[in-house]
């Protein structure tokens, strides 16, 4: 019997390439999210440190000009943190959309793979049946030859 050939093999390979590409893109977005989260944590740590330093200097006595500089810098950092959080939220939306694409691509690939498995199972059963028929034919031929020679 001829070798198994799945007619949608090229489609399956194409779908798998798409899935691999989408998974790579999803991974890149996740890496950017982690990087952005670390950036936010660093900004917040700097903000806390600066705020503590400002509070310490206020208790020790600080000039009005220095106090205004601290407050302006703290406000600028608050805006920077807020912008970083907004960018993080945007990245998270992109990640969610990409995850949905990956899930859909997995469904497509999975359905074709299941079809391939079913076709392979039918092929294997046909091969087994063909081999059984061949063995039966061989045994029958052997018996006939033994009966004729006896």
């Amino acid at each position: 019997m001829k070798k198994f050939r799945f007619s949608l093999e090229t489609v399956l390979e194409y779908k798998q390439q798409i899935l691999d590409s989408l998974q790579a893109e999803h991974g890149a977005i996740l890496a950017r999210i982690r990087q952005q989260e670390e950036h936010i944590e660093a900004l917040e740590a700097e903000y806390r440190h600066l705020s503590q330093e400002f509070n310490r200097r206020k208790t020790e006595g600080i000039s009005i000009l220095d106090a205004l500089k601290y407050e302006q810098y703290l406000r600028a950092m608050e805006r920077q943190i807020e912008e970083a959080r907004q960018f993080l939220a945007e990245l998270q939306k992109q990640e969610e959309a990409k995850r949905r694409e990956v899930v859909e691509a997995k469904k497509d690939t999975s359905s074709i793979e299941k079809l391939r498995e079913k076709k392979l199972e039918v092929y294997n059963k046909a091969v087994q049946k063909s081999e059984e028929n061949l063995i039966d034919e061989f045994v029958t031929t052997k018996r006939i030859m033994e009966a004729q020679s006896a």
Side-chain angles (χ1 to χ4, degrees):
M1 198 165 191
K2 63 183 179 181
K3 185 178 174 184
F4 174 73
R5 185 183 169 310
F6 182 56
S7 61
L8 297 176
E9 192 68 40
T10 54
V11 174
L12 179 60
E13 289 172 5
Y14 175 72
K15 293 286 187 180
Q16 188 62 48
Q17 288 175 352
I18 290 174
L19 176 60
D20 293 344
S21 174
L22 288 172
Q23 286 175 329
E25 291 172 15
H26 184 250
I29 292 173
L30 287 174
R32 288 178 64 199
I33 286 174
R34 281 189 295 278
Q35 183 181 21
Q36 187 67 13
E37 289 171 342
E38 290 170 3
H39 178 65
I40 290 170
E41 288 175 17
L43 287 173
E44 289 173 340
E46 183 181 350
Y47 179 84
R48 283 190 304 274
H49 173 71
L50 190 62
S51 182
Q52 290 170 352
E53 182 181 322
F54 180 43
N55 289 334
R56 182 185 53 79
R57 296 235 6 231
K58 281 193 292 188
T59 59
E60 295 172 354
I62 188 173
S63 70
I64 293 175
L65 184 59
D66 285 343
L68 288 174
K69 286 180 185 177
Y70 269 103
E71 287 180 352
Q72 285 178 340
Y73 189 65
L74 285 170
R75 298 307 153 248
M77 287 200 69
E78 287 172 357
R79 285 190 300 275
Q80 197 175 6
I81 291 169
E82 183 57 33
E83 288 171 1
R85 285 182 178 154
Q86 288 174 355
F87 184 63
L88 176 62
E90 185 178 312
L91 286 174
Q92 289 170 333
K93 287 179 186 175
Q94 290 176 9
E95 184 272 334
E96 175 66 29
K98 193 58 69 176
R99 186 169 3 106
R100 278 190 242 111
E101 287 182 48
V102 168
V103 167
E104 286 302 314
K106 278 184 180 179
K107 285 180 186 176
D108 289 347
T109 305
S110 177
S111 65
I112 295 173
E113 285 174 344
K114 286 179 183 175
L115 179 62
R116 183 182 189 280
E117 289 171 8
K118 287 180 183 178
K119 295 279 185 179
L120 181 59
E121 187 178 320
V122 168
Y123 170 82
N124 287 336
K125 286 181 180 178
V127 166
Q128 183 178 0
K129 185 70 174 168
S130 174
E131 289 173 356
E132 288 173 0
N133 288 340
L134 187 63
I135 291 170
D136 287 345
E137 186 178 317
F138 177 74
V139 168
T140 304
T141 304
K142 187 175 179 185
R143 286 183 183 160
I144 290 173
M145 292 179 98
E146 287 175 357
Q148 288 177 352
S149 63

